[in-house]
Amino acid sequence: MVKAMSAVPLYKQIVNDLMEKIDGGVFKEGDKLPTETDLMDQYDVSRITVRAAIKELEDADMVERTRGKGTFVTMKRDTYAADDRESFTHSCMLSGKKPSTKVLQAGWVYPSLKDMRFLGVREDENILQTRRLRLVDGVPTVLETNSYAPSLSFLDHEDLSGSLLEVLESHGVSLGSNERTLQVCFANGYEAENLNVETGAALLLFVDKRCDSEGQPIFLSRQVYCTERLKFYL
C-alpha cells in the first residue's frame, strides 16, 4: 500500500513497488502487469496517478505499453555499439558545417527512475538537468536532454552553449567508457516543435551512459536526431 502522508509522491511509491516486484521476479520478462483499474484498486489511487507511475517505468525501459493489449515487462534486447568517437561539435566542423547550441532549460530537478538507476542518486536528491537544441548551419537538428551526477554540479555556472566535453575537460574531468544505445522513436509535441518536424515523425534516439576514467557515472544523455537532416557512419 502507498502512504498518503509520505513525502514521496504517490506515483513514485507505486513505481518503487512495481520496480521491486520486477527486479524480484514477481513479474518476469514479458509478463503482463495488472490493468490500470486493478492498479487503482490495489493502491487506492486515481487513474492519473497510475498512469504517471507506468509512464515513469516506461521511460526507464522497464515496461512497454501495447495499444489494446496492456502493459508488459520489457524483454531484454540485443544491443549494438554505435560509434561515438567524435563529438557533435567536432563532427560538424569536420563536415564543413557550423554547429551552434541553444540552451532551452537548465535547472535542478528530482531524478527520474532511469537517472537514479544509472547515476546512483536518491529519489529526493536534486540533480542538474539541461535541455539543449543543437543546430547545424542554423537548422535545428538534435534535441538533447542531459542529467548530471552531483560531482558535475559546477556545470550550473558554466556556459553550455558550446561543447560539453570541452567544458568537462577544462575542469579536469577525464572521460572514460560510454555505453550508447540506438533506436528509432517518433516525435512527441515538444520534440516536433523544437526540431520543426511533424508530430509522429520518425527520429533517431541515442542514449549515452557516460562514465569518467575511473568508471564512475557522470551523466546520462538522451539525444533525439532529426533523420531528415543527418546521415550517420559507424
mmCIF file of all heavy atoms in Angstrom, residues 140-172:
data_model
loop_
_atom_site.group_PDB
_atom_site.id
_atom_site.type_symbol
_atom_site.label_atom_id
_atom_site.label_comp_id
_atom_site.label_asym_id
_atom_site.label_seq_id
_atom_site.Cartn_x
_atom_site.Cartn_y
_atom_site.Cartn_z
ATOM 1 N N PRO A 140 17.683 23.469 -36.709
ATOM 2 C CA PRO A 140 17.542 22.549 -35.568
ATOM 3 C C PRO A 140 17.708 21.100 -36.009
ATOM 4 O O PRO A 140 17.043 20.650 -36.941
ATOM 5 C CB PRO A 140 16.114 22.816 -35.080
ATOM 6 C CG PRO A 140 15.785 24.187 -35.568
ATOM 7 C CD PRO A 140 16.493 24.317 -36.891
ATOM 8 N N THR A 141 18.602 20.388 -35.323
ATOM 9 C CA THR A 141 18.939 19.037 -35.769
ATOM 10 C C THR A 141 18.887 18.007 -34.652
ATOM 11 O O THR A 141 18.499 16.866 -34.877
ATOM 12 C CB THR A 141 20.349 19.033 -36.397
ATOM 13 O OG1 THR A 141 20.382 19.994 -37.464
ATOM 14 C CG2 THR A 141 20.707 17.668 -36.952
ATOM 15 N N VAL A 142 19.279 18.395 -33.437
ATOM 16 C CA VAL A 142 19.323 17.454 -32.316
ATOM 17 C C VAL A 142 18.716 18.108 -31.080
ATOM 18 O O VAL A 142 19.023 19.258 -30.768
ATOM 19 C CB VAL A 142 20.774 17.024 -31.983
ATOM 20 C CG1 VAL A 142 20.772 15.951 -30.893
ATOM 21 C CG2 VAL A 142 21.502 16.538 -33.215
ATOM 22 N N LEU A 143 17.865 17.360 -30.389
ATOM 23 C CA LEU A 143 17.327 17.804 -29.107
ATOM 24 C C LEU A 143 17.925 16.900 -28.035
ATOM 25 O O LEU A 143 17.741 15.687 -28.071
ATOM 26 C CB LEU A 143 15.803 17.708 -29.100
ATOM 27 C CG LEU A 143 15.087 18.254 -27.866
ATOM 28 C CD1 LEU A 143 15.372 19.739 -27.682
ATOM 29 C CD2 LEU A 143 13.582 18.024 -27.987
ATOM 30 N N GLU A 144 18.643 17.509 -27.107
ATOM 31 C CA GLU A 144 19.434 16.753 -26.130
ATOM 32 C C GLU A 144 18.963 17.058 -24.711
ATOM 33 O O GLU A 144 18.783 18.218 -24.348
ATOM 34 C CB GLU A 144 20.906 17.139 -26.284
ATOM 35 C CG GLU A 144 21.840 16.626 -25.207
ATOM 36 C CD GLU A 144 23.135 17.418 -25.195
ATOM 37 O OE1 GLU A 144 24.048 17.065 -25.955
ATOM 38 O OE2 GLU A 144 23.217 18.414 -24.430
ATOM 39 N N THR A 145 18.767 16.006 -23.921
ATOM 40 C CA THR A 145 18.448 16.150 -22.501
ATOM 41 C C THR A 145 19.507 15.412 -21.702
ATOM 42 O O THR A 145 19.694 14.208 -21.883
ATOM 43 C CB THR A 145 17.059 15.573 -22.175
ATOM 44 O OG1 THR A 145 16.066 16.227 -22.977
ATOM 45 C CG2 THR A 145 16.727 15.775 -20.702
ATOM 46 N N ASN A 146 20.217 16.142 -20.834
ATOM 47 C CA ASN A 146 21.282 15.549 -20.028
ATOM 48 C C ASN A 146 20.952 15.636 -18.546
ATOM 49 O O ASN A 146 20.519 16.682 -18.059
ATOM 50 C CB ASN A 146 22.616 16.268 -20.259
ATOM 51 C CG ASN A 146 23.206 15.982 -21.624
ATOM 52 O OD1 ASN A 146 22.754 15.090 -22.336
ATOM 53 N ND2 ASN A 146 24.218 16.740 -21.998
ATOM 54 N N SER A 147 21.191 14.541 -17.837
ATOM 55 C CA SER A 147 21.080 14.507 -16.376
ATOM 56 C C SER A 147 22.472 14.232 -15.820
ATOM 57 O O SER A 147 23.127 13.273 -16.234
ATOM 58 C CB SER A 147 20.111 13.406 -15.937
ATOM 59 O OG SER A 147 18.809 13.649 -16.435
ATOM 60 N N TYR A 148 22.911 15.078 -14.867
ATOM 61 C CA TYR A 148 24.295 15.032 -14.408
ATOM 62 C C TYR A 148 24.418 14.504 -12.982
ATOM 63 O O TYR A 148 23.563 14.770 -12.131
ATOM 64 C CB TYR A 148 24.915 16.430 -14.468
ATOM 65 C CG TYR A 148 24.839 17.069 -15.827
ATOM 66 C CD1 TYR A 148 23.823 17.970 -16.136
ATOM 67 C CD2 TYR A 148 25.772 16.765 -16.813
ATOM 68 C CE1 TYR A 148 23.742 18.560 -17.391
ATOM 69 C CE2 TYR A 148 25.695 17.351 -18.067
ATOM 70 C CZ TYR A 148 24.677 18.244 -18.354
ATOM 71 O OH TYR A 148 24.594 18.814 -19.591
ATOM 72 N N ALA A 149 25.512 13.799 -12.735
ATOM 73 C CA ALA A 149 25.828 13.338 -11.386
ATOM 74 C C ALA A 149 26.141 14.548 -10.499
ATOM 75 O O ALA A 149 26.559 15.600 -10.991
ATOM 76 C CB ALA A 149 27.026 12.393 -11.425
ATOM 77 N N PRO A 150 25.948 14.424 -9.176
ATOM 78 C CA PRO A 150 26.247 15.538 -8.265
ATOM 79 C C PRO A 150 27.669 16.074 -8.404
ATOM 80 O O PRO A 150 27.906 17.262 -8.167
ATOM 81 C CB PRO A 150 26.017 14.917 -6.882
ATOM 82 C CG PRO A 150 24.993 13.857 -7.115
ATOM 83 C CD PRO A 150 25.330 13.279 -8.467
ATOM 84 N N SER A 151 28.605 15.232 -8.818
ATOM 85 C CA SER A 151 30.001 15.672 -8.959
ATOM 86 C C SER A 151 30.175 16.719 -10.057
ATOM 87 O O SER A 151 31.199 17.405 -10.112
ATOM 88 C CB SER A 151 30.903 14.473 -9.257
ATOM 89 O OG SER A 151 30.520 13.840 -10.466
ATOM 90 N N LEU A 152 29.170 16.859 -10.935
ATOM 91 C CA LEU A 152 29.258 17.840 -12.018
ATOM 92 C C LEU A 152 28.382 19.063 -11.750
ATOM 93 O O LEU A 152 28.012 19.787 -12.673
ATOM 94 C CB LEU A 152 28.844 17.205 -13.354
ATOM 95 C CG LEU A 152 29.652 16.003 -13.839
ATOM 96 C CD1 LEU A 152 29.248 15.633 -15.259
ATOM 97 C CD2 LEU A 152 31.146 16.273 -13.777
ATOM 98 N N SER A 153 28.081 19.319 -10.483
ATOM 99 C CA SER A 153 27.214 20.450 -10.141
ATOM 100 C C SER A 153 27.801 21.787 -10.588
ATOM 101 O O SER A 153 27.065 22.762 -10.772
ATOM 102 C CB SER A 153 26.945 20.481 -8.634
ATOM 103 O OG SER A 153 28.160 20.607 -7.907
ATOM 104 N N PHE A 154 29.119 21.842 -10.799
ATOM 105 C CA PHE A 154 29.756 23.085 -11.252
ATOM 106 C C PHE A 154 29.239 23.529 -12.616
ATOM 107 O O PHE A 154 29.364 24.699 -12.992
ATOM 108 C CB PHE A 154 31.277 22.924 -11.301
ATOM 109 C CG PHE A 154 31.766 21.838 -12.220
ATOM 110 C CD1 PHE A 154 31.887 22.055 -13.589
ATOM 111 C CD2 PHE A 154 32.116 20.595 -11.719
ATOM 112 C CE1 PHE A 154 32.340 21.065 -14.440
ATOM 113 C CE2 PHE A 154 32.571 19.588 -12.561
ATOM 114 C CZ PHE A 154 32.677 19.820 -13.923
ATOM 115 N N LEU A 155 28.631 22.616 -13.370
ATOM 116 C CA LEU A 155 28.109 22.972 -14.692
ATOM 117 C C LEU A 155 26.972 23.985 -14.601
ATOM 118 O O LEU A 155 26.659 24.654 -15.591
ATOM 119 C CB LEU A 155 27.623 21.717 -15.423
ATOM 120 C CG LEU A 155 28.701 20.726 -15.868
ATOM 121 C CD1 LEU A 155 28.059 19.478 -16.464
ATOM 122 C CD2 LEU A 155 29.649 21.370 -16.876
ATOM 123 N N ASP A 156 26.366 24.102 -13.427
ATOM 124 C CA ASP A 156 25.281 25.069 -13.242
ATOM 125 C C ASP A 156 25.769 26.496 -13.471
ATOM 126 O O ASP A 156 24.968 27.394 -13.740
ATOM 127 C CB ASP A 156 24.707 24.924 -11.830
ATOM 128 C CG ASP A 156 23.392 25.669 -11.652
ATOM 129 O OD1 ASP A 156 22.700 25.903 -12.668
ATOM 130 O OD2 ASP A 156 23.052 26.018 -10.511
ATOM 131 N N HIS A 157 27.080 26.707 -13.357
ATOM 132 C CA HIS A 157 27.650 28.052 -13.505
ATOM 133 C C HIS A 157 28.461 28.191 -14.793
ATOM 134 O O HIS A 157 29.185 29.169 -14.960
ATOM 135 C CB HIS A 157 28.535 28.369 -12.296
ATOM 136 C CG HIS A 157 27.842 28.195 -10.979
ATOM 137 N ND1 HIS A 157 26.842 29.038 -10.547
ATOM 138 C CD2 HIS A 157 27.973 27.245 -10.015
ATOM 139 C CE1 HIS A 157 26.402 28.633 -9.366
ATOM 140 N NE2 HIS A 157 27.070 27.549 -9.018
ATOM 141 N N GLU A 158 28.338 27.219 -15.685
ATOM 142 C CA GLU A 158 29.114 27.237 -16.921
ATOM 143 C C GLU A 158 28.238 27.604 -18.121
ATOM 144 O O GLU A 158 27.023 27.410 -18.112
ATOM 145 C CB GLU A 158 29.747 25.858 -17.167
ATOM 146 C CG GLU A 158 30.858 25.500 -16.198
ATOM 147 C CD GLU A 158 32.111 26.333 -16.417
ATOM 148 O OE1 GLU A 158 32.318 26.825 -17.545
ATOM 149 O OE2 GLU A 158 32.881 26.495 -15.453
ATOM 150 N N ASP A 159 28.885 28.111 -19.153
ATOM 151 C CA ASP A 159 28.219 28.373 -20.426
ATOM 152 C C ASP A 159 28.163 27.057 -21.201
ATOM 153 O O ASP A 159 29.197 26.531 -21.613
ATOM 154 C CB ASP A 159 29.003 29.425 -21.214
ATOM 155 C CG ASP A 159 28.382 29.715 -22.578
ATOM 156 O OD1 ASP A 159 27.269 29.200 -22.850
ATOM 157 O OD2 ASP A 159 29.012 30.441 -23.372
ATOM 158 N N LEU A 160 26.963 26.534 -21.390
ATOM 159 C CA LEU A 160 26.802 25.243 -22.053
ATOM 160 C C LEU A 160 26.298 25.395 -23.483
ATOM 161 O O LEU A 160 25.700 24.479 -24.040
ATOM 162 C CB LEU A 160 25.846 24.361 -21.244
ATOM 163 C CG LEU A 160 26.316 24.024 -19.822
ATOM 164 C CD1 LEU A 160 25.284 23.168 -19.110
ATOM 165 C CD2 LEU A 160 27.672 23.320 -19.854
ATOM 166 N N SER A 161 26.567 26.550 -24.073
ATOM 167 C CA SER A 161 26.141 26.777 -25.449
ATOM 168 C C SER A 161 27.198 26.321 -26.458
ATOM 169 O O SER A 161 27.090 26.614 -27.650
ATOM 170 C CB SER A 161 25.829 28.258 -25.674
ATOM 171 O OG SER A 161 26.980 29.058 -25.438
ATOM 172 N N GLY A 162 28.199 25.597 -25.971
ATOM 173 C CA GLY A 162 29.229 25.046 -26.850
ATOM 174 C C GLY A 162 29.393 23.567 -26.590
ATOM 175 O O GLY A 162 28.434 22.863 -26.276
ATOM 176 N N SER A 163 30.614 23.085 -26.693
ATOM 177 C CA SER A 163 30.897 21.666 -26.500
ATOM 178 C C SER A 163 30.929 21.321 -25.016
ATOM 179 O O SER A 163 31.738 21.857 -24.257
ATOM 180 C CB SER A 163 32.243 21.308 -27.136
ATOM 181 O OG SER A 163 32.638 20.000 -26.768
ATOM 182 N N LEU A 164 30.050 20.418 -24.597
ATOM 183 C CA LEU A 164 30.027 19.966 -23.208
ATOM 184 C C LEU A 164 31.324 19.244 -22.854
ATOM 185 O O LEU A 164 31.877 19.434 -21.766
ATOM 186 C CB LEU A 164 28.831 19.037 -22.986
ATOM 187 C CG LEU A 164 28.781 18.304 -21.642
ATOM 188 C CD1 LEU A 164 28.664 19.294 -20.493
ATOM 189 C CD2 LEU A 164 27.619 17.313 -21.621
ATOM 190 N N LEU A 165 31.814 18.421 -23.773
ATOM 191 C CA LEU A 165 33.022 17.651 -23.487
ATOM 192 C C LEU A 165 34.220 18.566 -23.251
ATOM 193 O O LEU A 165 35.065 18.292 -22.394
ATOM 194 C CB LEU A 165 33.305 16.673 -24.631
ATOM 195 C CG LEU A 165 32.202 15.648 -24.921
ATOM 196 C CD1 LEU A 165 32.672 14.633 -25.950
ATOM 197 C CD2 LEU A 165 31.762 14.936 -23.647
ATOM 198 N N GLU A 166 34.286 19.671 -23.981
ATOM 199 C CA GLU A 166 35.387 20.614 -23.776
ATOM 200 C C GLU A 166 35.284 21.288 -22.411
ATOM 201 O O GLU A 166 36.303 21.520 -21.748
ATOM 202 C CB GLU A 166 35.398 21.656 -24.889
ATOM 203 C CG GLU A 166 35.821 21.100 -26.244
ATOM 204 C CD GLU A 166 35.835 22.161 -27.332
ATOM 205 O OE1 GLU A 166 35.575 23.346 -27.005
ATOM 206 O OE2 GLU A 166 36.102 21.814 -28.498
ATOM 207 N N VAL A 167 34.058 21.602 -21.974
ATOM 208 C CA VAL A 167 33.870 22.200 -20.650
ATOM 209 C C VAL A 167 34.322 21.227 -19.569
ATOM 210 O O VAL A 167 35.026 21.599 -18.617
ATOM 211 C CB VAL A 167 32.395 22.595 -20.429
ATOM 212 C CG1 VAL A 167 32.177 23.053 -18.986
ATOM 213 C CG2 VAL A 167 31.981 23.699 -21.389
ATOM 214 N N LEU A 168 33.938 19.960 -19.710
ATOM 215 C CA LEU A 168 34.327 18.959 -18.716
ATOM 216 C C LEU A 168 35.844 18.802 -18.665
ATOM 217 O O LEU A 168 36.442 18.737 -17.585
ATOM 218 C CB LEU A 168 33.664 17.621 -19.041
ATOM 219 C CG LEU A 168 32.140 17.570 -18.895
ATOM 220 C CD1 LEU A 168 31.607 16.215 -19.339
ATOM 221 C CD2 LEU A 168 31.715 17.859 -17.463
ATOM 222 N N GLU A 169 36.464 18.750 -19.830
ATOM 223 C CA GLU A 169 37.919 18.596 -19.870
ATOM 224 C C GLU A 169 38.624 19.791 -19.243
ATOM 225 O O GLU A 169 39.670 19.643 -18.605
ATOM 226 C CB GLU A 169 38.371 18.392 -21.319
ATOM 227 C CG GLU A 169 37.968 17.024 -21.882
ATOM 228 C CD GLU A 169 38.255 16.889 -23.367
ATOM 229 O OE1 GLU A 169 38.668 17.899 -23.985
ATOM 230 O OE2 GLU A 169 38.058 15.784 -23.909
ATOM 231 N N SER A 170 38.038 20.987 -19.387
ATOM 232 C CA SER A 170 38.646 22.182 -18.796
ATOM 233 C C SER A 170 38.610 22.140 -17.270
ATOM 234 O O SER A 170 39.370 22.848 -16.606
ATOM 235 C CB SER A 170 37.938 23.443 -19.303
ATOM 236 O OG SER A 170 36.643 23.574 -18.728
ATOM 237 N N HIS A 171 37.719 21.314 -16.714
ATOM 238 C CA HIS A 171 37.629 21.148 -15.262
ATOM 239 C C HIS A 171 38.369 19.896 -14.795
ATOM 240 O O HIS A 171 38.218 19.481 -13.641
ATOM 241 C CB HIS A 171 36.166 21.070 -14.828
ATOM 242 C CG HIS A 171 35.486 22.406 -14.756
ATOM 243 N ND1 HIS A 171 35.430 23.160 -13.606
ATOM 244 C CD2 HIS A 171 34.849 23.132 -15.713
ATOM 245 C CE1 HIS A 171 34.773 24.284 -13.840
ATOM 246 N NE2 HIS A 171 34.405 24.297 -15.110
ATOM 247 N N GLY A 172 39.137 19.307 -15.680
ATOM 248 C CA GLY A 172 39.926 18.143 -15.301
ATOM 249 C C GLY A 172 39.148 16.852 -15.225
ATOM 250 O O GLY A 172 39.623 15.875 -14.634
#
